[in-house]
């Protein structure tokens, strides 16, 4: 696999690391399976792209995308809490509605952003360092910019989940009945958690649009699968109860997942083509789901055989 292809895979992996963080909050922290993310990713891309194409500062456009994602997550939580609609169905309803909303926001199915200012331009101070390494300029700049953004967000999220409010949110997901008995307002924590999750996914969509140079209404297909695969793969690599390790394992899992897909598609002897992406994705997700079941018996076997 070429250097450009490797950098491209890492770049997409870093974008989907934000998706993995969002999925981690709903699936692992809140125990709230949320399918809204398949609509929230293109929502973030649509809002950011439409505003940037209209001449709005890219930072403001990115913040607006995050707010839009939080609102979408709030709608899903509201349907679940206020009307007792099953969380999976509430997510599907919001995701379905978002497809039409995204088209309304964009006006067209695809918005190009070539030669438009993006948040990546704020990291051009890294160019002398990149030039000294001899790496390809623009692709490396995008990777380093995304790495800084994602690392800062992951650190802030880990810090948030260790605060009193974050601990209450984790208690809400672990045992809502006990949390309510302790005076925790579980409904509020579900609202905040689902909104935060979808805000992160919308940020991923906004960054994807700005790094890829376009926003398309169909980019959200399979988002939940990619996010879950990254979370499960990261948890398999780093098995720890520490919330900090769990957060950063999502980042490693997302990058490893995208690199595995790129390697599979670029392995000539496998005979795979770009049209086989969904097949490769399904196989990798299946392997990621099987790994914990295979790893646990092996660990037990080695423990028994140890003197």
């Amino acid at each position: 696999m070429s250097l450009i292809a490797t950098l491209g895979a890492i770049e997409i992996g870093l974008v989907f690391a934000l998706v993995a963080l969002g999925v981690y909050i709903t699936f692992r922290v809140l125990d709230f399976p949320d399918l809204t993310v398949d609509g929230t990713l293109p929502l973030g891309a649509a809002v950011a792209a439409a505003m940037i194409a209209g001449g709005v500062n890219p930072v403001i456009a990115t913040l607006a995308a995050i707010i839009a994602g939080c609102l979408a997550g709030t709608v899903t939580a509201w349907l679940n809490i206020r009307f007792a609609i099953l969380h999976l169905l509430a997510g599907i309803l919001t995701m379905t509605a978002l497809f039409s909303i995204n088209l309304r926001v964009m006006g067209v199915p695809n918005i190009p952003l070539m030669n438009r200012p993006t948040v990546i331009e704020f990291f051009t101070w890294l160019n002398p360092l990149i030039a000294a390494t001899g790496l390809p300029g623009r692709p490396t700049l995008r990777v380093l910019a995304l790495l800084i953004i994602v690392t800062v967000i992951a650190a802030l999220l880990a810090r948030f989940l260790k605060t009193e409010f974050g601990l209450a949110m984790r208690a809400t997901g672990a045992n809502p009945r006990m949390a309510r008995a302790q005076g925790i307002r579980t409904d509020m924590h579900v609202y905040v958690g689902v909104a935060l999750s979808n805000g992160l996914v919308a940020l991923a969509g906004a960054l994807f649009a700005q790094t890829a140079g376009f926003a398309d209404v169909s980019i959200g297909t399979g988002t939940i699968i990619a996010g879950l695969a990254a979370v499960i793969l990261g948890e398999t690599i780093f098995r720890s109860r520490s919330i900090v390790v769990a957060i950063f394992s999502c980042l490693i899992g997302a990058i490893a997942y995208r690199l595995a897909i790129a390697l599979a598609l670029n392995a000539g002897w496998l005979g795979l083509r770009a049209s086989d992406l969904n097949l490769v994705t399904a196989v990798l997700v299946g392997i990621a789901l099987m790994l914990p079941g295979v790893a646990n018996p092996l660990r037990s076997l080695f423990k028994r055989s140890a003197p």
Side-chain angles (χ1 to χ4, degrees):
M1 192 166 66
S2 67
L3 177 59
I4 296 296
T6 302
L7 289 173
I10 295 174
E11 177 185 324
I12 298 297
L14 287 168
V15 169
F16 273 86
L18 294 172
V19 175
L21 292 177
V23 170
Y24 178 82
I25 292 172
T26 49
F27 275 78
R28 288 289 187 257
V29 176
L30 285 176
D31 193 22
F32 188 107
D34 181 23
L35 301 183
T36 314
V37 295
D38 274 26
T40 311
L41 184 79
L43 173 66
V47 171
M51 293 182 72
I52 291 173
V56 178
N57 184 288
V59 174
I60 297 175
T62 302
L63 292 175
I66 296 172
I67 293 171
C70 290
L71 290 175
T74 303
V75 170
T76 298
W78 178 68
L79 290 173
N80 172 254
I81 294 170
R82 178 65 179 82
F83 299 102
I85 298 175
L86 183 68
H87 34 52
L88 286 171
L89 184 55
I92 291 172
L93 289 173
T94 308
M95 174 188 67
T96 304
L98 283 175
F99 184 83
S100 297
I101 292 172
N102 294 339
L103 280 173
R104 283 278 189 174
V105 170
M106 295 174 67
V108 291
N110 185 289
I111 295 179
L113 291 177
M114 302 303 294
N115 300 320
R116 296 280 186 175
T118 66
V119 293
I120 305 300
E121 310 305 326
F122 292 92
F123 294 88
T124 51
W125 52 271
L126 291 169
N127 281 333
L129 176 63
I130 296 171
T133 62
L135 293 170
R138 192 65 183 177
T140 306
L141 176 63
R142 289 198 298 265
V143 168
L144 291 179
L146 288 172
L147 180 61
I148 293 171
I149 293 171
V150 171
T151 302
V152 169
I153 290 173
L156 291 174
L157 180 60
R159 181 71 186 90
F160 167 73
L161 290 176
K162 296 184 74 173
T163 62
E164 184 176 345
F165 191 93
L167 289 171
M169 183 182 294
R170 292 158 63 184
T172 298
N175 193 329
R177 183 176 297 179
M178 180 62 71
R180 283 191 292 270
Q182 297 298 318
I184 295 173
R185 298 172 59 189
T186 55
D187 288 355
M188 181 188 67
H189 287 84
V190 171
Y191 275 118
V192 173
V194 179
L196 177 60
S197 168
N198 284 277
L200 288 172
V201 177
L203 172 60
L207 293 176
F208 176 85
Q210 294 175 69
T211 54
F214 72 94
D216 192 276
V217 74
S218 64
I219 62 173
T221 305
T223 301
I224 187 64
I225 297 296
L228 274 175
V231 171
I232 294 168
L233 191 57
E235 289 177 343
T236 303
I237 298 172
F238 300 97
R239 302 191 66 84
S240 172
R241 293 183 180 273
S242 168
I243 192 68
V244 175
V245 175
I247 291 295
F248 281 92
S249 71
C250 292
L251 312 189
I252 303 300
I255 296 172
Y257 173 69
R258 297 308 306 190
L259 282 173
I261 288 179
L263 283 170
L265 292 177
N266 285 276
W269 60 274
L270 288 176
L272 296 173
R273 295 175 294 185
S275 58
D276 297 321
L277 176 61
N278 286 343
L279 172 62
V280 174
T281 300
V283 171
L284 288 175
V285 171
I287 292 173
L289 290 169
M290 294 175 197
L291 281 176
V294 174
N296 288 333
L298 288 176
R299 254 188 224 99
S300 300
L301 179 63
F302 283 125
K303 284 182 180 178
R304 286 198 300 268
S305 61

